[in-house]
Amino acid sequence: MTARTRKQCSIDLLVGLLSALLLLLMFTGGPGYYAGRVLKHLWNLGHVFAFFLWTWYLAHRWAWLKQKQPAHRIVLLIGVAFGAGLLVEGLQYGTARSADWQDIGRNMLGCMLAICWTRSICRYLTPVVRRTGRILCLAWVLLALWPMGRSLVDIHMARRSFPILADFETSIELERWSGDARHERSREVHLSGHYALQVTFGTETYSGVSLNMFPRDWRTYNALEIGIYNPDQNIISMTCRIHDRIHVQGPQLYADRFNRRYTLQPGWNRILVLLRDVQQAPAGRRMDLRSVMAVGLFASRLDRSRTVYLAHSRLLD
């Protein structure tokens, strides 16, 4: 066996092992619901790496492909990558993973990076096509990195503004929130700043929003303050729930978190949650204030949709 053959065998083995690992992670891995936003974005970019690797390897080793004209070669590579992406996303239905059709765009980005930037493929392109393709790929990369960049900016802002958890003065703060209740920034009602979060609770059994992204260590604070405006002339009952990392690692029982119902009067309401009550809420243990994971606000079994405005949430010492 020549040195060149041994080198090629080593490349084949490495690509095979990487491919097996990447396919396994596509169907069984992935960050959990409470994983950090940056980790989730990095995980999604794994599709770019996977399809860059596979496109390069096909162009490098597929003998039949090398017999084709350069233009046909590139069209075939793009078609194979697109078809493989559709197959991967389709196979995820019915599994623990959920299909994300944005992954197909990331797949195609990896394919185009391999076509425009690896010598085994791009040498067949004319200089003008190669330069144009590379410029478009770089723009595409920046677009793919944009969500992660936004998250990094918001993480920095959240740390700087802490112990304010949210005041909605920037649109990027909406990344910290999730929930089935419709929620958006609004200037119709505001308290100290210019914006509030307009939340419309539906008539489902439970309808609410949850603040999930913030500095987790609350040990040096005594209370959580939430400012809420009720524009209706009737009161509305709303529940605040708080849980820690230990709660999400277990069966997530109702008795293992803080739950308290509050009555919102017409106009402005100040909800004050004492953290000693939060700490003592779980049955049989103390909540770990070093790793608070989420603050939820929800209404249950409303006879009609109700709207409130959340002005701010902050910790008090």
Side-chain angles (χ1 to χ4, degrees), residues 7 39 58 61 65 72 105 143 145 157 162 168 170 176 180-181 196 208 218 221 276 289 296 309 313:
K7 180 180 178 181
L39 176 59
L58 278 178
R61 291 290 284 165
L65 188 67
H72 294 165
L143 185 63
L145 292 175
M157 292 173 56
F162 190 72
F168 312 105
T170 60
R176 307 176 196 176
D180 58 354
W218 293 10
Y221 299 91
R276 66 169 179 266
L289 294 183
Y309 294 85
S313 56

Side-chain angles (χ1 to χ4, degrees), residues 40 50 60 62 74 99 118 132 138 166 168 210 219 221 232 237 250 258 270 282 300:
K40 291 179 179 178
H60 185 65
W62 195 3
I74 291 170
T118 59
T132 303
L138 289 176
F168 312 105
S210 179
R219 287 175 296 174
Y221 299 91
D232 206 306
S237 293
F258 173 85
R270 178 175 181 258
S300 58

Side-chain angles (χ1 to χ4, degrees), residues 12-243:
D12 292 344
L13 178 60
L14 179 60
V15 171
L17 292 174
L18 280 174
S19 298
L21 177 61
L22 289 167
L23 287 170
L24 179 66
L25 293 176
M26 283 183 181
F27 288 98
T28 62
Y33 178 79
Y34 290 102
R37 286 174 285 176
V38 174
L39 176 59
K40 291 179 179 178
H41 292 312
L42 286 172
W43 182 270
N44 288 333
L45 292 176
H47 284 261
V48 178
F49 171 74
F51 278 77
F52 175 92
L53 173 68
W54 294 334
T55 302
W56 167 82
Y57 186 72
L58 278 178
H60 185 65
R61 291 290 284 165
W62 195 3
W64 178 80
L65 188 67
K66 293 180 179 180
Q67 301 172 6
K68 303 298 180 182
Q69 294 295 324
H72 294 165
R73 222 177 282 178
I74 291 170
V75 170
L76 283 169
L77 286 171
I78 293 174
V80 169
F82 184 74
L86 285 176
L87 179 63
V88 168
E89 297 305 315
L91 290 175
Q92 288 182 350
Y93 281 110
T95 69
R97 300 293 306 280
S98 59
D100 181 0
W101 299 109
Q102 293 184 30
D103 286 340
I104 293 180
R106 301 180 187 105
N107 299 342
M108 299 313 299
L109 172 58
C111 173
M112 295 307 298
L113 284 171
I115 289 173
C116 295
W117 287 89
T118 59
R119 184 176 180 277
S120 59
I121 309 176
C122 72
R123 63 183 175 178
Y124 299 107
L125 303 174
T126 64
V128 173
V129 172
R130 184 165 57 246
R131 284 195 295 269
T132 303
R134 288 181 173 181
I135 291 172
L136 292 175
C137 280
L138 289 176
W140 198 346
V141 167
L142 292 176
L143 185 63
L145 292 175
W146 175 249
M148 184 168 67
R150 281 175 54 92
S151 294
L152 287 170
V153 169
D154 187 52
I155 289 170
H156 175 69
M157 292 173 56
R159 289 173 177 171
R160 286 190 59 184
S161 61
F162 190 72
I164 296 174
L165 303 179
D167 59 10
F168 312 105
E169 292 306 295
T170 60
S171 61
I172 197 172
E173 286 187 40
L174 292 179
E175 286 192 6
R176 307 176 196 176
W177 295 81
S178 64
D180 58 354
R182 191 172 75 247
H183 53 285
E184 58 186 352
R185 291 170 76 225
S186 172
R187 300 191 68 158
E188 293 183 19
V189 177
H190 50 85
L191 189 58
S192 56
H194 297 91
Y195 289 90
L197 185 69
Q198 180 179 335
V199 181
T200 302
F201 298 118
T203 57
E204 302 87 354
T205 303
Y206 300 104
S207 177
V209 292
S210 179
L211 174 62
N212 304 308
M213 304 297 174
F214 47 79
R216 307 292 186 190
D217 192 347
W218 293 10
R219 287 175 296 174
T220 59
Y221 299 91
N222 296 320
L224 168 67
E225 181 188 64
I226 303 173
I228 299 182
Y229 183 80
N230 175 12
D232 206 306
Q233 293 303 309
N234 299 315
I235 63 172
I236 177 174
S237 293
M238 184 195 70
T239 299
C240 175
R241 57 166 287 179
I242 302 173
H243 62 262

